[in-house]
Amino acid sequence: MIDLRSDTVTRPTAAMLQAMANAPVGDDVMGADPTVQRLQQTLAERVGKEAGLFFPSGTQSNLAALMAHCGRGDEYLVGQLAHTYKYEGGGAAVLGSVQPQPVEHADDGSLPLEKLAAAVKPKGDPHYARTRLLALENTFQGKVIPAAYIDQAAQFAREHGLGLHLDGARVFNAAVASGRTAHEVCAPFDSVSICFSKGLGAPVGSVLVGSKALIDEARRWRKVLGGGMRQSGFLAAACLHALDHHVERLAQDHENAALLAEGLRGIEGVKVLAQNTNMVFAEFAPEHTEKLSQALQAQDIIIRAIYRGPTRMVTHLDVSQDDIRKVVDAVRAYFG
Ligand SMILES: *Cc1c(COP(=O)(O)O)cnc(C)c1O
């Protein structure tokens, strides 16, 4: 199977399974799982934060972060298309009593400062929610958010007394693609949520990093949200393995995505809209979208073909350069 629907579809490698099987574990709710502790410390040090906290999902990690930054009746500024607004079931509002204030993105994925400034509520007036936090996302739809913008956004947050959170589900893709360290990319933020179940290839897991005080608060919310896990060191071991073995190789995923985009660009009937890090967005003639998807499926190639919308194809650990050639050949054969 060549599955391009998402970078979440990877299976653990044999070496990763071995690392998981060998992990020393304990009850992490009691703070007694040495492998979870090691993951939290290792990642926090690597990205330059005081503490880390292991979560079953990125959705829960982001939500616990929002709830640690904001209380009832507070609000966070967030992108209109951001995961923490659009794709997390409205959790901040539903479960956190925190109001999202969505802001439209610029083309590069950033949130223009003038739009943010207009969205910040006047202080001390009970008509308004209290604006407490700015939440950004990097990468956003595969795009690396420009570092210069993030510095400006951090300055903006300081001036307005806001916390600054990063949904860094794919922050290592951002670091590798821009030739910067994850430490540099995370530096401006008070908290960062990092997924291990995406390009890093672990089966489960996200880690929230930030100050010790913020992580202590998030730990309480994690328990309330049902995310306190017991011998989760088996899962943390997969994440530690990914940190050691699957970070630099993200460059290959980016190269493969570029190769896929280049190959598809040469085919009549395909319109490549963008390639950013490990994602390619393309449009097929509407009457072909469904048929193409079926023709590819018959050759063990899965793409998410959304009728009339662009199709997102994502490269990852389980897609080789050879696989990309097969996909391009199969699409060319279909249209040829
Ligand atoms: C995947 C993802 C998350 C977290 O999703 P989970 O499936 O809950 O782990 C958060 N933000 C972004 C941008 C993501 O792609």
Side-chain angles (χ1 to χ4, degrees):
M1 269 310 175
I2 304 172
D3 192 341
L4 294 173
R5 286 174 299 174
S6 174
D7 47 9
T8 55
V9 300
T10 57
R11 307 294 160 87
T13 62
M16 181 180 274
L17 284 170
Q18 194 64 51
M20 293 168 76
N22 293 338
V25 297
D27 187 328
D28 184 56
V29 173
M30 300 181 189
D33 189 301
T35 308
V36 171
Q37 305 259 337
R38 190 153 72 85
L39 171 64
Q40 291 172 166
Q41 279 160 17
T42 304
L43 185 69
E45 268 167 39
R46 182 143 165 184
V47 302
K49 304 294 179 212
E50 270 175 17
L53 189 63
F54 189 44
F55 284 83
S57 72
T59 296
Q60 195 178 76
S61 169
N62 277 323
L63 176 56
L66 294 174
M67 292 173 76
H69 280 285
C70 304
R72 186 173 193 212
D74 291 347
E75 79 171 1
Y76 66 111
L77 308 177
V78 62
Q80 185 79 46
L81 302 175
H83 205 279
T84 45
Y85 172 59
K86 197 173 177 190
Y87 300 106
E88 297 184 0
V94 174
L95 303 170
S97 301
V98 179
Q99 161 171 290
Q101 169 60 66
V103 170
E104 256 175 69
H105 299 264
D107 284 344
D108 64 2
S110 66
L111 305 176
L113 297 185
E114 62 278 12
K115 287 190 183 164
L116 292 175
V120 172
K121 308 299 181 287
K123 281 200 175 65
D125 182 334
H127 285 89
Y128 302 105
R130 283 174 299 221
T131 313
R132 293 295 296 272
L133 180 72
L134 170 59
L136 300 178
E137 185 175 316
N138 195 14
T139 60
F140 169 75
Q141 300 181 344
K143 285 175 193 160
V144 178
I145 303 297
Y149 166 78
I150 289 181
D151 288 342
Q152 290 166 10
Q155 173 74 25
F156 172 91
R158 271 195 300 276
E159 282 166 13
H160 290 82
L162 309 178
L164 188 62
H165 173 71
L166 180 67
D167 177 356
R170 297 185 179 84
V171 76
F172 282 105
N173 293 81
V176 167
S178 57
R180 304 169 76 223
T181 62
H183 189 302
E184 288 168 324
V185 177
C186 293
F189 295 91
D190 298 312
S191 56
V192 185
S193 170
I194 300 173
C195 284
F196 285 85
S197 57
K198 304 276 167 84
L200 295 182
V204 172
S206 286
V207 175
L208 179 68
V209 293
S211 69
K212 191 178 172 305
L214 189 98
I215 292 300
D216 284 344
E217 186 69 10
R219 185 178 297 105
R220 184 187 146 67
W221 289 123
R222 183 184 68 171
K223 190 75 183 87
V224 173
L225 295 169
M229 298 183 286
R230 303 296 177 175
Q231 285 71 35
S232 39
F234 291 123
L235 300 172
C239 302
L240 280 163
H241 180 84
L243 270 185
D244 284 343
H245 301 281
H246 295 169
V247 173
E248 282 76 23
R249 65 152 306 287
L250 290 170
Q252 278 169 249
D253 295 343
H254 303 165
E255 278 171 32
N256 285 343
L259 197 68
L260 177 61
E262 190 186 295
L264 293 178
R265 271 193 196 105
I267 300 172
E268 204 166 322
V270 183
K271 188 175 172 199
V272 174
L273 303 173
Q275 179 257 318
N276 303 304
T277 58
N278 67 332
M279 297 184 187
V280 177
F281 296 87
E283 259 172 5
F284 308 105
E287 66 274 22
H288 286 295
T289 306
E290 197 53 37
K291 276 189 280 180
L292 170 65
S293 175
Q294 281 163 14
L296 293 179
Q297 182 109 34
Q299 298 168 68
D300 288 340
I301 298 167
I302 312 180
I303 58 169
R304 186 195 287 285
I306 300 166
Y307 191 58
R308 282 215 277 202
T311 296
R312 185 189 79 161
M313 287 161 278
V314 189
T315 57
H316 51 74
L317 202 62
D318 290 350
V319 176
S320 67
Q321 206 179 84
D322 248 15
D323 291 338
I324 296 296
R325 290 199 191 92
K326 275 184 211 153
V327 172
V328 172
D329 287 347
V331 175
R332 188 182 295 114
Y334 173 87
F335 283 106

